[in-house]
Amino acid sequence: MKVWTNGCFDVLHRGHLELFKFCKRMSGADGEFVVGVDTDKKVKLDKGENRPINNLQDRMEMLNSIIYIDKVVPFDSTDELESTIKWIKPHVMVIGSDWKDGKVIGKKWTEKLMFFDRVGDYSTTKILDKK
């Protein structure tokens, strides 16, 4: 089974790792877990001028080093995200539960949409606010 999730994954924390573990379990031993990652331009547009903290190359390198993740693909816009999901054709798309009432891009290209609840109080924004 092919499983997809996406995000900027700028400052990795335990919540991200729990999401990745969950997605890998969903994909199964013979499946594939693919992570879409926002480009620097898209993160800046979505999160503001002070983001990302880590550039795309570094974020992709970190994601590629995580044992649960099989493939990492960047996307530069919502249109590119949509076309990437269409191309990947995931059986399952896993998105953070904070998007339950929002527009989930690419959901029409997956068989099943699942929402992943936040783990504890982990949040990149909260980590950055502690600075």
Side-chain angles (χ1 to χ4, degrees):
M1 180 181 315
K2 194 177 291 186
V3 177
W4 167 275
T5 196
N6 62 272
C8 62
F9 305 113
D10 189 10
V11 176
L12 293 178
H13 54 69
R14 183 172 176 188
H16 292 132
L17 294 177
E18 295 300 329
L19 168 66
F20 302 153
K21 281 196 271 189
F22 174 80
C23 289
K24 186 59 182 174
R25 276 194 310 272
M26 288 288 305
S27 72
D30 295 330
E32 183 179 39
F33 171 40
V34 183
V35 175
V37 62
D38 299 72
T39 62
D40 294 343
K41 179 179 113 184
K42 186 163 184 326
V43 174
K44 205 169 282 302
L45 185 68
D46 293 346
K47 306 277 186 180
E49 278 301 309
N50 293 329
R51 299 280 300 276
I53 302 299
N54 294 295
N55 67 42
L56 178 62
Q57 183 178 351
D58 291 346
R59 289 182 287 127
M60 288 185 65
E61 186 68 28
M62 286 186 284
L63 291 168
N64 276 313
S65 72
I66 295 172
I67 61 172
Y68 310 111
I69 299 172
D70 297 306
K71 183 185 292 185
V72 179
V73 293
F75 60 92
D76 201 38
S77 66
T78 54
D79 287 343
E80 190 173 352
L81 172 59
E82 178 97 24
S83 64
T84 301
I85 294 168
K86 182 180 178 182
W87 171 68
I88 296 288
K89 293 182 179 85
H91 298 98
V92 179
M93 176 187 281
V94 181
I95 301 296
S97 60
D98 48 330
W99 286 94
K100 276 186 181 173
D101 296 324
K103 180 183 176 193
V104 178
I105 295 164
K107 70 180 178 181
K108 68 182 176 185
W109 305 112
T110 186
E111 295 170 20
K112 183 175 184 179
L113 176 63
M114 296 181 70
F115 293 98
F116 187 81
D117 289 330
R118 183 178 296 274
V119 173
D121 201 26
Y122 295 101
S123 156
T124 297
T125 302
K126 287 182 181 179
I127 291 169
L128 295 176
D129 287 346
K130 288 180 182 179
K131 289 168 86 176

